[in-house]
Amino acid sequence: MHELFLTSHIANDDLSRTVRILQGYCGMKPVSLIERRLMWEGPRARTNLKGIDPGFLMRQPPQLAPVWRGLHEQLVRQSYILTLIYDVTRDFGQAEANGNEEKPVLDCDQLPGTLRWSDLPDPGVNRPVNTRPIISIEEQRGLCTIMQSMGHRFIKEIIQECYRFINNNVVFELSRYLQLPDHAGNKQQRKISTHLPPFQSLVAFDLENKWILTASVRVANGNDPDQMQQGIGELTTVKTEFEGCFDLHMVDRHTVDTRVKI
Amino acid sequence: MASIPNEFPISLKSWPSSNSNDSTSLPNLIQRINFERGGFRDISEESLHQEIAEAEAESSNGEEDRSSEEEEVDEEPDRMKELMTARDEMLVQLEAAHHGAAFALDFVSLLLSKDTPVQAGLSMTPQLREMVGTGTLGADKIQASRITDTQKENNRHVAKGWKIQNLNKTVDTILESATRLEKEMETETKYWEQVLAVSENGWAVCRLPNEKQTLGVRFGFLEAAPAFRNQSLAALRRNADGSISLDQGVTSTEPQCVRVRVQVNGINTGSSTIPRPVPEDGPIESLILQARNTIFSTELWQELSRESRTLGAFNVRYKGDPLTFPLDSERTILLDPVILGDSAPSPPGPDDSTAEGIAIALNLLLAYSHRQNHRRRTQIPAPISAAKRPNPPYNLLRSLITRHRHQQTITSLHNLLAPLCAMLKSASLTPTPSYTIIHSPSQPPPFANFSLAERTISSLTERLESIATLKLTPDTTLTITSRTSQFPVAGTSFGLSLNQESELNATCVAPPAIADVKGVEDYVFFATSCALASLFISPDVDDSSWIRTAQPNVLRKLFQGGRAKQLVFNVSRMKTGTKGVKGNCSLSVAWEWMRHDSWSVGSENTMKYREANEFGEKRGEQGIYEWKHVAGWDDGEGQVMKGLEGVVTDAGREEADGARLRQKSGRVQAFKGN
C-alpha cells in the first residue's frame, strides 16, 4: 500500500479556525483522537536481519498473512523504526489527577493496537506530492511481544492528539505531538510505562506548539499508474482549493526517514 | 484676433495622435468611395441626398420595431452592463481631459518661460524642456483686442449661467441618487432581514459556487446520491420590491411526493395524505421546505424503483407507474409519485392509516439510509484500488417487507398459542398453561455514537427476533425462537427448544430448526399431548396407575387377566365451517380396551402421532372426551362439563365406568366459549 501526503503547519491560535474550515469542507464533525505511539527500533545491523519469525508468519490467518509477509520482506532488507499505535481516551490520567489510588493499568500488550511501518518517501522528482510505501496492521493484540521477538527495542513513546476529517478519499489529520513530562528531558526511555500522566501535564513536542495538518490518500497498489494518478489528482485538487488558506506542501523526504541509522 | 469666432469658449483638445487614422482625410475618402461605389461616375449630390433620406426612413421604421420588440423581450435592461459602459466612457473622457490639461500647462509654461524662466520651469515637463528648451517660444500682442467690455460682461454672465445650470443639474442628480440609494437601502434591508430569518431557522445559507455575488440556500441532503446533492442549492434572489424569491434554476421541478395507496381487488381502500402545494408567492420558508420535501421524494422514488428490481421474489412489480407489492393475501400496496395539487384528494378509506404508516416508514428508512451513508463517508476510506466500489440500493421495501412478515409470524404464533392455552384452561389443568412472546433485546449498537433515532430504526429492521415461551406443565416449558432475516433471503426460521428438566427431552425431541409455521404447529400440538400424557404417569408400575408406552402421547393401564386399557391424548387444529376464523383447536382424550402386547413400534414422532390418531378411530373407541376452543363463540356458548383429571380418572376405572361410558357410546363434548 502507498500513502500520498502533503503537509502544512498551523499555529495553535489558528486551531479552532482550521477545525471550522475543515468541518465545513468535509461536511462532518471532527473525529477527536488521542493515540499513544510507541517507537521500536530494529536491530542495528546492515546484514543478517532475520525479520519476523517464520513460525509466527505461518500461524497468521489467511487475510493477514500477505501483509505480515510483506512486512517481513521489508525488515529483512533494512532495519526500520516501527510504531505501535494505541487509542487512548482524554481522561486516561484522570485517576492520578484526582488523587485516586487505583490507577488504571494500561498494559499495551493486552490491548488491541496498530502496527505501522512506513518507508522513506520516494525520491519522485516529478510528483507534486510525497509518496511512500506503508504497511498498517490493525486491531492486533500482543504486538509488544511480537516486537521483542523480532529483536526490536523500545526507545520512546509519544502521545498524538489528532482531529481527523475525511473528504472522499482524502484524510485530513490535524495533529500535534505531546511528550510525557518525565521524559521531556531524557532522550531515551527504556520501559513502557503502564500508567499515563494526566493529559494536562503533557508537554508539547514542538516548542512553538504548532499543529501539523496532513492531507493523505492511500493507494492499494503503488505500481499502478492509474491508481497513483487518481490519488495525486485528489490531493492536488485539495491543495489548489486551499491555496491561500493552508500552505499544503511536500516535505523533504529525509525529515520522515524511518530507517535505523547505523 | 479676427480669426477667433464669436462662439467662445474654444475647447482645448489633444492633438490627434496621427493623421493617417483620420477617416475624413481626402485620400481616405477617395479610397473609400472607390471601394464602396466603384468611382465617382454615377454619384451626384442629389442621388446621395435621396439615398440618405431613404436609409433614414428605413432605419427609423426598423428602430421602432426593434425597440418595441426589445421592450417586450427584455423589460429590464442589463443594469450591470450599462454601468460598466458608462464607467468606461467616463474614464476615456477623464483621460482626454487630463491629457488636454497637461498639454495646455506645458504650452503656457513654455510661453511664460521666456519671461519668468524659474517659475515656468517648475510646471514644465522635462521632456518638453529637453526637446525645445526654455524660452524658445515668444508671444506678442499684435492687435488690440476686439472684445469690448460689454462682450466681456456678457461672456461672464454666460459662464455664470452655465455654472449655475450645471450646479443645479449636479444637485438634482445627487438628490436623485440619494433617493435611489435610500430606496435601495430599504429593499436591501428587507432582503437581508429575510435571508437572516432563513438562516436563523437553521437553513444553511452560502454563496453560490458559480455566481459568487448571489446567496443561496442549501435545502437538500448532504448524504443523498450525488445527483440529488448537486441539485440541492437554490439561489435567494431579491425581487425589485426587496422581497425574496427562491430560484432553483434549471433543476426546478414541480413539487411532488410519493403517494401510497392500498387496494383490495382493484378498489382503493386507503391512501396516504398528499400535502397542498405552497403558492408561488408564499412565504420563503414554506417554499424552501417544499423544495426539500420534493427533492427527498424524488430521491425516495428513484431508490424505490432501483430497489424494486432486486425484489421480484417478493412480488414487487414495477413496470411503469405505479410500483406494486402485495401486503397480504388481499391487500396490495401501490406506490407512485404525484405532483402536489394535481389530483383531487381521495375519499377517506379504512386503510388510510396503513397507507400513511407505510409512507412515513419509507421516509424514515430513507433518512436512516442517509445516516448510514454519513457513517460510511466519515470512516477512513479503503485505499484507492482498481476494484469498483459497489453502490447497492438502499433497503427500503426490503426492510418493510421483512418487518411485515415478522409481524405476521408473531400473529400466527399468537393464533396458535392463545387458543391452545384457552383450551387447556377449559380442561381445568393446574397450573393453567400460559405463554408469553417477547422481542429479544436489541444488540448493542455496532458503533459507539449510534443515536437514539438510528437505534430505534435498527431495532425495528435489523434484528427481528421474538421468543415465545409456552409453559405447558410445571416441568415442561417450550421455547420458540422466531428469527426473520433480510439477507440473503428474507424469511422466518424457527428454533424450538425444551427446558433441560423436561421429560419430553427423552420422548419428543424438538427439531432444531423449522422453516414454516405449519411445522411449528404440528410440533407444538404433539408436544402438548405428550406433556399432558406425562402428567398422569406414575413412577411405580402397579395396577392402579397409567404407565408410559413407546408413544409418548399414549398411556396404558394393566388390569388382571392380561387385559389393558389404553389412553390417547391428541391435540389438533379443528376445522370449522366459518371461513376466515382462525385459532380453533381441540383436545381429545380417547380410551379403549386392548390386548396387552406391544402393538406399535415406531421410531419417528410423527409416525407415532399418526398411529396414535388412527388407533382411536380404527379400534372403535370406548370413550372419548373433547375440549374445544372456538374463536368467536359468545359467552355461555359451550360449557365445560369436566376437567381433564376427572376424565382420566374415570377412564382408568376397570368396570363400572367403562361400562357406563360404553353404554353412552358417543362423544361427550365440552364447549368453552371465548
Side-chain angles (χ1 to χ4, degrees):
Chain A
M1 191 159 60
H2 260 67
E3 187 186 51
L4 284 57
F5 63 100
L6 288 171
T7 45
S8 174
H9 297 287
I10 307 288
N12 197 31
D13 297 342
D14 295 334
L15 177 69
S16 65
R17 202 164 55 96
T18 309
V19 168
R20 282 207 301 275
I21 289 171
L22 289 172
Q23 195 168 328
Y25 183 78
C26 300
M28 65 178 287
K29 286 183 180 157
V31 181
S32 177
L33 296 168
I34 295 183
E35 289 175 341
R36 185 177 179 190
R37 302 173 81 97
L38 310 182
M39 316 289 184
W40 295 73
E41 190 189 83
R44 296 194 177 188
R46 282 186 212 282
T47 50
N48 285 335
L49 293 165
K50 60 178 182 150
I52 305 170
D53 176 28
F56 175 78
L57 287 177
M58 294 296 286
R59 284 199 303 277
Q60 289 311 305
Q63 68 271 23
L64 278 179
V67 191
W68 278 106
R69 206 166 299 124
L71 181 62
H72 171 73
E73 282 161 15
Q74 298 294 344
L75 294 183
V76 169
R77 189 172 56 79
Q78 161 79 43
S79 184
Y80 282 100
I81 294 174
L82 298 180
T83 312
L84 298 187
I85 305 168
Y86 295 91
D87 280 335
V88 284
T89 50
R90 196 171 278 269
D91 51 356
F92 52 75
Q94 279 308 318
E96 193 179 28
N98 297 342
N100 200 331
E101 285 297 311
E102 290 177 18
K103 297 178 194 170
V105 177
L106 285 171
D107 185 359
C108 285
D109 218 28
Q110 302 299 320
L111 297 171
T114 301
L115 168 62
R116 175 86 190 242
W117 166 83
S118 52
D119 202 352
L120 174 71
D122 304 327
V125 276
N126 297 324
R127 282 185 184 153
V129 296
N130 284 120
T131 61
R132 65 180 173 191
I134 59 160
I135 290 174
S136 192
I137 304 170
E138 283 155 23
E139 291 290 309
Q140 296 292 306
R141 283 175 201 273
L143 282 173
C144 295
T145 319
I146 299 169
M147 297 305 282
Q148 276 154 2
S149 75
M150 281 155 57
H152 280 57
R153 201 163 49 85
F154 171 70
I155 46 168
K156 191 174 173 58
E157 83 167 289
I158 203 159
I159 307 283
Q160 184 187 17
E161 188 186 357
C162 171
Y163 295 100
R164 185 191 287 153
F165 300 87
I166 289 150
N167 184 40
N168 294 332
N169 285 315
V170 185
V171 181
F172 292 96
E173 283 189 328
L174 184 59
S175 56
R176 66 169 172 174
Y177 293 98
L178 302 164
Q179 293 184 100
L180 306 189
D182 314 344
H183 310 300
N186 309 356
K187 277 279 174 201
Q188 285 197 343
Q189 138 200 13
R190 298 288 173 202
K191 217 166 139 263
I192 308 167
S193 56
T194 49
H195 305 287
L196 288 175
F199 185 74
Q200 293 76 17
S201 68
L202 298 180
V203 184
F205 185 79
D206 178 34
L207 291 177
E208 292 175 43
N209 201 5
K210 278 190 294 199
W211 291 69
I212 304 166
L213 175 64
T214 317
S216 64
V217 173
R218 291 187 304 160
V219 170
N221 181 5
N223 297 325
D224 184 334
D226 288 345
Q227 291 179 24
M228 284 303 265
Q229 202 46 53
Q230 190 191 340
I232 291 171
E234 290 200 24
L235 267 189
T236 41
T237 312
V238 165
K239 183 183 173 173
T240 339
E241 287 189 353
F242 281 121
E243 200 103 323
C245 179
F246 306 132
D247 173 32
L248 287 166
H249 58 272
M250 285 176 75
V251 291
D252 176 12
R253 66 194 195 111
H254 290 102
T255 55
V256 281
D257 192 356
T258 50
R259 296 173 300 179
V260 174
K261 311 280 179 302
I262 301 159
Chain B
M1 294 294 273
S3 62
I4 297 176
N6 283 344
E7 298 89 18
F8 200 76
I10 313 164
S11 70
L12 293 169
K13 266 194 179 175
S14 63
W15 288 102
S17 53
S18 74
N19 282 335
S20 61
N21 285 344
D22 189 0
S23 58
T24 54
S25 68
L26 200 55
N28 270 351
L29 279 177
I30 293 168
Q31 202 181 346
R32 258 178 69 189
I33 288 163
N34 279 333
F35 180 72
E36 284 176 11
R37 314 237 165 215
F40 289 87
R41 196 175 300 159
D42 302 327
I43 301 172
S44 69
E45 202 172 327
E46 281 165 15
S47 70
L48 281 176
H49 274 304
Q50 202 180 338
E51 208 171 284
I52 289 167
E54 277 172 9
E56 269 178 1
E58 263 179 29
S59 70
S60 65
N61 284 343
E63 263 174 21
E64 272 173 19
D65 289 350
R66 210 175 304 135
S67 62
S68 61
E69 272 171 23
E70 268 176 11
E71 270 172 20
E72 277 169 17
V73 171
D74 189 10
E75 287 184 347
E76 281 185 14
D78 196 341
R79 189 101 189 106
M80 198 64 199
K81 210 169 175 182
E82 232 174 54
L83 274 176
M84 293 309 286
T85 344
R87 182 174 163 273
D88 287 345
E89 215 169 273
M90 198 166 78
L91 282 175
V92 168
Q93 292 206 0
L94 276 176
E95 207 171 330
H98 177 253
H99 270 279
F103 278 120
L105 182 64
D106 263 354
F107 172 70
V108 175
S109 304
L110 180 61
L111 193 59
L112 288 179
S113 63
K114 195 177 135 228
D115 301 318
T116 52
V118 180
Q119 203 183 344
L122 289 174
S123 56
M124 216 168 140
T125 53
Q127 288 90 348
L128 186 69
R129 197 182 302 145
E130 271 173 35
M131 213 188 304
V132 290
T134 50
T136 49
L137 186 65
D140 210 351
K141 208 178 195 175
I142 52 168
Q143 212 170 12
S145 169
R146 284 195 313 168
I147 300 172
T148 56
D149 285 348
T150 357
Q151 260 180 339
K152 273 186 188 164
E153 192 62 25
N154 278 348
N155 282 344
R156 211 170 287 135
H157 282 309
V158 168
K160 214 177 205 173
W162 272 99
K163 216 181 252 174
I164 290 170
Q165 226 174 16
N166 281 325
L167 274 177
N168 282 344
K169 211 172 155 190
T170 316
V171 170
D172 285 348
T173 320
I174 289 173
L175 277 179
E176 197 185 307
S177 36
T179 329
R180 197 175 51 79
L181 274 179
E182 206 172 321
K183 207 177 150 201
E184 194 81 345
M185 255 166 61
E186 269 173 29
T187 49
E188 199 73 355
T189 319
K190 202 172 157 193
Y191 169 75
W192 280 101
E193 270 171 5
Q194 291 172 82
V195 170
L196 205 64
V198 169
S199 169
E200 275 171 359
N201 278 315
W203 296 102
V205 175
C206 61
R207 280 201 295 198
L208 291 186
N210 45 3
E211 230 180 301
K212 301 271 185 200
Q213 292 86 10
T214 317
L215 276 179
V217 60
R218 181 172 286 284
F219 59 84
F221 299 84
L222 208 57
E223 312 305 332
F228 295 101
R229 195 173 52 218
N230 297 341
Q231 284 177 21
S232 65
L233 208 58
L236 290 172
R237 298 218 187 273
R238 203 194 73 184
N239 295 336
D241 62 343
S243 61
I244 199 166
S245 69
L246 196 69
D247 176 14
Q248 282 179 260
V250 286
T251 62
S252 175
T253 48
E254 295 280 328
Q256 61 170 16
C257 74
V258 175
R259 175 175 60 176
V260 181
R261 283 177 294 166
V262 184
Q263 278 191 350
V264 178
N265 298 326
I267 299 158
N268 277 353
T269 56
S271 168
S272 60
T273 50
I274 298 164
R276 286 164 182 278
V278 180
E280 278 182 21
D281 55 348
I284 189 77
E285 288 269 347
S286 319
L287 284 170
I288 298 174
L289 206 61
Q290 179 172 280
R292 188 200 70 170
N293 293 347
T294 299
I295 203 162
F296 192 76
S297 298
T298 321
E299 191 191 1
L300 177 63
W301 178 245
Q302 179 179 304
E303 290 302 332
L304 284 174
S305 45
R306 201 155 76 97
E307 193 194 3
S308 68
R309 290 174 214 156
T310 63
L311 295 176
F314 299 99
N315 280 325
V316 177
R317 296 283 175 265
Y318 176 49
K319 287 177 189 162
D321 302 346
L323 191 156
T324 61
F325 67 95
L327 187 67
D328 45 38
S329 55
E330 290 167 351
R331 293 182 292 177
T332 310
I333 304 294
L334 285 86
L335 302 171
D336 55 351
V338 287
I339 291 172
L340 304 191
D342 256 20
S343 54
S346 55
D351 286 325
D352 274 353
S353 56
T354 311
E356 191 67 38
I358 289 175
I360 292 172
L362 288 174
N363 280 297
L364 284 175
L365 285 168
L366 181 60
Y368 178 65
S369 306
H370 281 174
R371 292 277 183 103
Q372 283 178 319
N373 278 353
H374 176 258
R375 200 169 293 288
R376 211 170 300 135
R377 181 171 70 84
T378 52
Q379 302 277 319
I380 290 196
I384 294 173
S385 64
K388 243 187 163 183
R389 287 179 195 171
N391 180 21
Y394 302 145
N395 296 321
L396 308 171
L397 287 174
R398 187 181 280 270
S399 302
L400 204 68
I401 290 170
T402 42
R403 176 77 210 169
H404 184 248
R405 291 209 167 183
H406 185 68
Q407 274 169 332
Q408 275 182 325
T409 308
I410 304 296
T411 313
S412 52
L413 277 182
H414 274 295
N415 282 341
L416 169 67
L417 298 179
L420 182 70
C421 288
M423 184 202 65
L424 292 176
K425 192 183 166 198
S426 73
S428 314
L429 220 59
T430 47
T432 315
S434 62
Y435 78 97
T436 50
I437 295 185
I438 52 160
H439 298 282
S440 32
S442 55
Q443 281 173 322
F447 307 104
N449 50 351
F450 218 47
S451 73
L452 188 63
E454 283 171 284
R455 221 172 288 175
T456 311
I457 301 275
S458 158
S459 68
L460 285 173
T461 57
E462 298 286 327
R463 187 165 175 261
L464 302 173
E465 192 179 276
S466 297
I467 300 168
T469 317
L470 175 64
K471 202 161 171 54
L472 284 168
T473 62
D475 293 339
T476 305
T477 307
L478 177 66
T479 310
I480 308 167
T481 313
S482 60
R483 200 172 289 131
T484 311
S485 56
Q486 287 192 16
F487 292 105
V489 181
T492 307
S493 67
F494 299 91
L496 298 164
S497 64
L498 290 160
N499 57 330
Q500 290 290 322
E501 302 81 40
S502 173
E503 284 183 38
L504 264 59
N505 278 318
T507 56
C508 162
V509 183
I514 298 177
D516 61 341
V517 184
K518 188 78 187 76
V520 175
E521 185 178 302
D522 287 346
Y523 177 77
V524 168
F525 284 164
F526 183 64
T528 310
S529 50
C530 296
L532 291 179
S534 71
L535 283 176
F536 299 99
I537 295 170
S538 83
D540 310 317
V541 180
D542 58 20
D543 287 351
S544 63
S545 64
W546 295 99
I547 54 167
R548 67 173 87 240
T549 65
Q551 288 158 304
N553 65 332
V554 177
L555 298 184
R556 190 170 300 165
K557 197 170 194 178
L558 303 179
F559 292 94
Q560 285 178 344
R563 290 185 307 155
K565 221 176 191 182
Q566 201 149 256
L567 184 67
V568 181
F569 292 82
N570 184 20
V571 181
S572 64
R573 184 66 86 188
M574 195 175 65
K575 280 181 184 162
T576 55
T578 326
K579 196 189 167 190
V581 175
K582 288 179 179 174
N584 305 331
C585 68
S586 71
L587 163 68
S588 67
V589 178
W591 61 92
E592 67 161 16
W593 287 97
M594 59 170 294
R595 280 185 299 118
H596 177 210
D597 55 3
S598 51
W599 53 275
S600 163
V601 181
S603 57
E604 290 296 320
N605 276 345
T606 45
M607 198 194 283
K608 290 177 194 171
Y609 176 63
R610 198 181 334 115
E611 283 176 7
N613 273 345
E614 287 164 358
F615 168 78
E617 289 163 10
K618 280 183 184 169
R619 302 227 168 175
E621 58 268 83
Q622 293 191 345
I624 186 161
Y625 205 97
E626 278 190 349
W627 289 265
K628 290 183 180 175
H629 174 84
V630 178
W633 274 358
D634 293 331
D635 279 348
E637 201 173 345
Q639 201 179 357
V640 184
M641 310 295 287
K642 269 186 168 180
L644 178 64
E645 206 168 340
V647 170
V648 174
T649 320
D650 283 352
R653 291 192 186 142
E654 189 176 354
E655 284 302 328
D657 286 323
R660 188 168 55 80
L661 283 164
R662 213 171 28 246
Q663 279 164 8
K664 274 188 150 186
S665 75
R667 292 188 172 209
V668 184
Q669 294 191 340
F671 295 108
K672 171 84 175 81
N674 273 344

